[in-house]
PDB file of all heavy atoms in Angstrom:
ATOM      1  N   ARG A  19       5.062  26.091  -5.358  1.00  0.00           N
ATOM      2  CA  ARG A  19       5.508  24.761  -5.775  1.00  0.00           C
ATOM      3  C   ARG A  19       4.760  23.686  -4.765  1.00  0.00           C
ATOM      4  O   ARG A  19       5.011  23.744  -3.542  1.00  0.00           O
ATOM      5  CB  ARG A  19       6.999  24.557  -5.538  1.00  0.00           C
ATOM      6  CG  ARG A  19       7.547  23.238  -6.149  1.00  0.00           C
ATOM      7  CD  ARG A  19       8.986  23.124  -6.106  1.00  0.00           C
ATOM      8  NE  ARG A  19       9.519  22.759  -4.818  1.00  0.00           N
ATOM      9  CZ  ARG A  19      10.684  22.070  -4.694  1.00  0.00           C
ATOM     10  NH1 ARG A  19      11.425  21.762  -5.743  1.00  0.00           N
ATOM     11  NH2 ARG A  19      11.062  21.845  -3.387  1.00  0.00           N
ATOM     12  N   LEU A  20       4.098  22.780  -5.445  1.00  0.00           N
ATOM     13  CA  LEU A  20       3.471  21.697  -4.735  1.00  0.00           C
ATOM     14  C   LEU A  20       4.461  20.506  -4.586  1.00  0.00           C
ATOM     15  O   LEU A  20       5.214  20.187  -5.574  1.00  0.00           O
ATOM     16  CB  LEU A  20       2.246  21.269  -5.360  1.00  0.00           C
ATOM     17  CG  LEU A  20       1.095  22.384  -5.581  1.00  0.00           C
ATOM     18  CD1 LEU A  20      -0.102  21.738  -6.081  1.00  0.00           C
ATOM     19  CD2 LEU A  20       0.782  23.141  -4.264  1.00  0.00           C
ATOM     20  N   SER A  21       4.360  19.892  -3.464  1.00  0.00           N
ATOM     21  CA  SER A  21       5.069  18.557  -3.311  1.00  0.00           C
ATOM     22  C   SER A  21       4.263  17.436  -3.017  1.00  0.00           C
ATOM     23  O   SER A  21       3.103  17.609  -2.455  1.00  0.00           O
ATOM     24  CB  SER A  21       6.097  18.640  -2.197  1.00  0.00           C
ATOM     25  OG  SER A  21       7.023  19.695  -2.378  1.00  0.00           O
ATOM     26  N   CYS A  22       4.540  16.220  -3.469  1.00  0.00           N
ATOM     27  CA  CYS A  22       3.801  15.078  -3.226  1.00  0.00           C
ATOM     28  C   CYS A  22       4.913  13.933  -2.675  1.00  0.00           C
ATOM     29  O   CYS A  22       5.628  13.465  -3.477  1.00  0.00           O
ATOM     30  CB  CYS A  22       3.136  14.535  -4.434  1.00  0.00           C
ATOM     31  SG  CYS A  22       2.379  12.929  -4.351  1.00  0.00           S
ATOM     32  N   ALA A  23       4.686  13.667  -1.353  1.00  0.00           N
ATOM     33  CA  ALA A  23       5.637  12.695  -0.901  1.00  0.00           C
ATOM     34  C   ALA A  23       4.873  11.307  -0.747  1.00  0.00           C
ATOM     35  O   ALA A  23       3.747  11.289  -0.193  1.00  0.00           O
ATOM     36  CB  ALA A  23       6.052  13.148   0.571  1.00  0.00           C
ATOM     37  N   ALA A  24       5.593  10.372  -1.222  1.00  0.00           N
ATOM     38  CA  ALA A  24       5.083   8.950  -1.132  1.00  0.00           C
ATOM     39  C   ALA A  24       5.757   8.177  -0.055  1.00  0.00           C
ATOM     40  O   ALA A  24       6.967   8.376   0.215  1.00  0.00           O
ATOM     41  CB  ALA A  24       5.224   8.307  -2.492  1.00  0.00           C
ATOM     42  N   SER A  25       5.060   7.282   0.506  1.00  0.00           N
ATOM     43  CA  SER A  25       5.650   6.359   1.501  1.00  0.00           C
ATOM     44  C   SER A  25       4.956   4.980   1.264  1.00  0.00           C
ATOM     45  O   SER A  25       3.765   4.906   0.741  1.00  0.00           O
ATOM     46  CB  SER A  25       5.335   6.821   2.932  1.00  0.00           C
ATOM     47  OG  SER A  25       3.998   6.984   3.171  1.00  0.00           O
ATOM     48  N   GLY A  26       5.568   4.021   1.868  1.00  0.00           N
ATOM     49  CA  GLY A  26       4.906   2.634   1.725  1.00  0.00           C
ATOM     50  C   GLY A  26       5.543   1.855   0.540  1.00  0.00           C
ATOM     51  O   GLY A  26       5.662   0.642   0.640  1.00  0.00           O
ATOM     52  N   ARG A  27       5.864   2.615  -0.526  1.00  0.00           N
ATOM     53  CA  ARG A  27       6.441   1.942  -1.645  1.00  0.00           C
ATOM     54  C   ARG A  27       7.322   2.908  -2.457  1.00  0.00           C
ATOM     55  O   ARG A  27       7.131   4.123  -2.270  1.00  0.00           O
ATOM     56  CB  ARG A  27       5.418   1.384  -2.641  1.00  0.00           C
ATOM     57  CG  ARG A  27       4.584   0.201  -2.127  1.00  0.00           C
ATOM     58  CD  ARG A  27       3.612  -0.356  -3.174  1.00  0.00           C
ATOM     59  NE  ARG A  27       2.876  -1.425  -2.592  1.00  0.00           N
ATOM     60  CZ  ARG A  27       1.948  -2.121  -3.291  1.00  0.00           C
ATOM     61  NH1 ARG A  27       1.820  -1.856  -4.566  1.00  0.00           N
ATOM     62  NH2 ARG A  27       1.302  -3.235  -2.693  1.00  0.00           N
ATOM     63  N   THR A  28       8.286   2.375  -3.092  1.00  0.00           N
ATOM     64  CA  THR A  28       9.139   3.443  -3.851  1.00  0.00           C
ATOM     65  C   THR A  28       8.378   3.924  -5.145  1.00  0.00           C
ATOM     66  O   THR A  28       7.600   3.268  -5.627  1.00  0.00           O
ATOM     67  CB  THR A  28      10.422   2.753  -4.254  1.00  0.00           C
ATOM     68  OG1 THR A  28      10.198   1.621  -4.994  1.00  0.00           O
ATOM     69  CG2 THR A  28      11.219   2.366  -3.025  1.00  0.00           C
ATOM     70  N   LEU A  29       8.724   5.176  -5.454  1.00  0.00           N
ATOM     71  CA  LEU A  29       8.051   5.771  -6.530  1.00  0.00           C
ATOM     72  C   LEU A  29       8.511   5.245  -7.901  1.00  0.00           C
ATOM     73  O   LEU A  29       7.830   5.538  -9.014  1.00  0.00           O
ATOM     74  CB  LEU A  29       8.266   7.268  -6.598  1.00  0.00           C
ATOM     75  CG  LEU A  29       7.216   8.064  -5.810  1.00  0.00           C
ATOM     76  CD1 LEU A  29       7.477   9.587  -5.954  1.00  0.00           C
ATOM     77  CD2 LEU A  29       5.750   7.766  -6.146  1.00  0.00           C
ATOM     78  N   GLY A  30       9.597   4.552  -7.953  1.00  0.00           N
ATOM     79  CA  GLY A  30      10.250   4.255  -9.215  1.00  0.00           C
ATOM     80  C   GLY A  30       9.389   3.424 -10.225  1.00  0.00           C
ATOM     81  O   GLY A  30       9.653   3.531 -11.443  1.00  0.00           O
ATOM     82  N   SER A  31       8.354   2.712  -9.709  1.00  0.00           N
ATOM     83  CA  SER A  31       7.598   2.007 -10.624  1.00  0.00           C
ATOM     84  C   SER A  31       6.212   2.623 -11.059  1.00  0.00           C
ATOM     85  O   SER A  31       5.431   1.968 -11.694  1.00  0.00           O
ATOM     86  CB  SER A  31       7.238   0.620 -10.042  1.00  0.00           C
ATOM     87  OG  SER A  31       8.419  -0.187  -9.710  1.00  0.00           O
ATOM     88  N   TYR A  32       6.102   3.850 -10.649  1.00  0.00           N
ATOM     89  CA  TYR A  32       4.904   4.586 -10.830  1.00  0.00           C
ATOM     90  C   TYR A  32       4.980   5.729 -11.713  1.00  0.00           C
ATOM     91  O   TYR A  32       5.946   6.708 -11.494  1.00  0.00           O
ATOM     92  CB  TYR A  32       4.263   4.999  -9.447  1.00  0.00           C
ATOM     93  CG  TYR A  32       3.957   3.845  -8.486  1.00  0.00           C
ATOM     94  CD1 TYR A  32       4.894   3.141  -7.713  1.00  0.00           C
ATOM     95  CD2 TYR A  32       2.538   3.480  -8.417  1.00  0.00           C
ATOM     96  CE1 TYR A  32       4.455   2.113  -6.938  1.00  0.00           C
ATOM     97  CE2 TYR A  32       2.083   2.503  -7.599  1.00  0.00           C
ATOM     98  CZ  TYR A  32       3.113   1.788  -6.865  1.00  0.00           C
ATOM     99  OH  TYR A  32       2.746   0.794  -6.047  1.00  0.00           O
TER     100      TYR A  32
END
Side-chain angles (χ1 to χ4, degrees):
R19 188 175 82 154
L20 305 184
S21 297
C22 171
S25 60
R27 293 188 179 180
T28 58
L29 273 184
S31 298
Y32 293 80

